[in-house]
Amino acid sequence: MPHQQPPWVYDRRRALGRRIRDLRIREGHTQEAFAEMTDIDRRTFQRIEAGTSDPRYGDLLRIADALGVPLSELVR
């Protein structure tokens, strides 16, 4: 049986997704184009932005690099 996360984990995951979405939109990228440029599956990227998926560290590094922000700013 999977371990259920505390509510604050879900809140922070959603906040991370919102930050990624806001930065992506600010840069003028569609979800599809951004997923392609970061080599992340489009559906996976949609789940990351929606806060329903725990992104892998490598995905976060590629997202931060593509957005031109330090990883620390992305996950603050």
Side-chain angles (χ1 to χ4, degrees):
M1 176 184 251
H3 178 70
Q4 186 169 359
Q5 301 289 330
W8 63 266
V9 171
Y10 298 111
D11 293 342
R12 289 186 183 171
R13 201 166 57 196
R14 283 189 295 273
L16 171 63
R18 283 191 302 272
R19 257 192 314 282
I20 292 170
R21 183 192 64 230
D22 292 347
L23 290 167
R24 172 185 59 78
I25 290 170
R26 184 181 75 189
E27 293 296 315
H29 301 295
T30 65
Q31 267 189 347
E32 186 173 347
F34 194 79
E36 187 174 314
M37 70 188 282
T38 56
D39 197 30
I40 298 172
D41 178 74
R42 183 182 54 82
R43 284 182 279 189
T44 299
F45 187 72
Q46 287 173 332
R47 288 190 293 268
I48 291 170
E49 279 197 346
T52 60
S53 169
D54 283 321
R56 295 180 304 173
Y57 183 69
D59 293 342
L60 290 174
L61 288 173
R62 288 195 305 277
I63 290 168
D65 184 62
L67 292 169
V69 298
L71 181 60
S72 60
E73 180 180 328
L74 197 62
V75 298
R76 63 180 158 92

